Amino acid sequence: MTQQTPQPIDPSPLRDSARHTLRLEQQAIGALIERLDADFDRACELILACRGRVIVTGMGKSGHIAGKIAATLASTGTPAFFVHPGEASHGDLGMITPGDVVLALSNSGETAEVTALLPLLKRMGVPLISMTGRPASTLGRHAEAHLDAGVEREACPLDLAPTASTTAALALGDALAVALLESRGFTAEEFALSHPGGSLGKRLLLRVGDLMHGGTRLPRVPLGSPLRDALLEITRQGLGFTCVVDDQGRLAGVYTDGDLRRTLDQHSDLAGLVVDAVMTRPGKRAAPEMLAAEAVKLMEDHRISALAVVDDDGRPVGALHMHDLLASGVI
């Protein structure tokens, strides 16, 4: 039996469809900007004043978005978790306490499983924030703050499958989380406590002191040293630079591979040079307690590959190379 060779599919109609979908979803997100109003401020105020947790709920596709919003809030300083509205009516409502705030998602604002919670929330005195596509819906009217996530149409050609509406709700949830994060003054260190694992945890938790070379691996020569001695120290330690210290042991400058290239361009005779005359003063430096991610930015901003690590008195205690950051997974 002769096997037929599959005919290649012209990708253009597929790409055209994808572009159309992305444009519609882009427009849906863009339209949210003009609709932000005092209710957004009120929603933030309710959450910032909350003594408990933010309970995020939604059914179907809105439930998936609600779960992601809850996770984003929880990782950015706002204690939150997702409660399935159907399960809430069958016992899980006990997970909601009077000190909580509820954020309910429903594109129509009429989802039966979600609206069924309204009398119970009112009786408990739990503030309700709704996120719907219809401000005049049941959820929209009974919420203390309503976030309008409405879209003109879905990206689905049948205008049925939740596509643009879920994208808009997701983006609005991110906007809410970031506004709360900034209002709280949430720091990278606090973020790290919720993300201790994997490369993200490494980037946020590792400090310069965890990665630096110290002791006998610290390249160092005193002021007044012949340039030859500085070059030997760079070669011996293999970190691409050496610290130059004064008679009190404080960092006076650094001499790097880049300095050597400049020295060769400017001086025909290296024999009589001392390192003081050609070193970089005062040299970029880091502290042991600095986050490794901050050290990466410092190196990238100044286009250097190594840093001297100094203590509070300005004395070198270590050396950090870009290769150490790469090996640790920070980069």
Side-chain angles (χ1 to χ4, degrees), residues 126-309:
V126 174
L128 173 66
I129 301 167
S130 63
M131 184 185 296
T132 81
R134 296 174 56 216
S137 63
T138 300
L139 272 182
R141 288 185 288 105
H142 287 87
E144 292 194 36
H146 176 258
L147 303 178
D148 186 354
V151 298
E152 185 175 337
R153 59 162 298 167
E154 299 288 2
C156 165
L158 303 176
D159 198 23
L160 294 174
T163 45
S165 60
T166 49
T167 299
L170 183 64
L172 192 52
D174 286 343
L176 182 65
V178 172
L180 293 167
L181 178 156
E182 293 182 344
S183 180
R184 295 183 193 278
F186 194 69
T187 65
E189 288 86 351
E190 291 172 306
F191 190 80
L193 294 176
S194 301
H195 301 76
S199 60
L200 180 59
K202 289 181 179 179
R203 289 199 299 272
L204 293 171
L205 291 173
L206 281 178
R207 299 184 182 274
V208 168
D210 299 322
L211 302 175
M212 70 183 188
H213 301 275
T216 59
R217 286 300 318 277
L218 172 61
R220 175 170 47 194
V221 296
L223 281 171
S225 297
L227 180 59
R228 178 179 179 275
D229 290 355
L231 295 177
L232 288 174
E233 182 71 353
I234 292 173
T235 301
R236 183 173 70 88
Q237 299 292 8
L239 296 176
F241 86 110
T242 183
C243 299
V244 183
V245 298
D246 61 20
D247 55 3
Q248 300 296 315
R250 295 186 177 88
L251 185 66
V254 296
Y255 192 74
T256 70
D257 288 341
D259 291 323
L260 174 58
R261 287 190 289 272
R262 285 185 290 273
T263 302
L264 292 172
D265 286 340
Q266 297 168 8
H267 300 271
S268 56
D269 182 13
L270 306 184
L273 286 177
V274 294
V275 70
D276 313 35
V278 288
M279 71 181 185
T280 296
R281 297 175 183 265
K284 299 302 175 187
R285 55 193 71 193
E289 63 273 12
M290 176 186 285
L291 288 172
E294 293 179 87
V296 171
K297 186 175 188 309
L298 185 59
M299 290 183 186
E300 290 175 342
D301 287 348
H302 296 280
R303 298 183 180 181
I304 55 178
S305 60
L307 284 170
V309 185

Side-chain angles (χ1 to χ4, degrees), residues 1 35 62 75 86 123 134 204 222 227 284 298 308 321:
M1 181 176 180
R35 291 206 303 271
S62 291
S75 69
R123 184 181 303 171
R134 296 174 56 216
L204 293 171
L227 180 59
K284 299 302 175 187
L298 185 59
H321 196 278

Side-chain angles (χ1 to χ4, degrees), residues 64-81:
H64 295 304
I65 300 302
K68 191 275 180 186
I69 292 174
T72 301
L73 288 170
S75 69
T76 52
T78 299
F81 63 86

Side-chain angles (χ1 to χ4, degrees), residues 16 18-28:
D16 287 345
R19 292 187 185 103
H20 179 67
T21 296
L22 293 173
R23 287 191 190 100
L24 285 175
E25 300 205 353
Q26 181 184 47
Q27 292 165 8

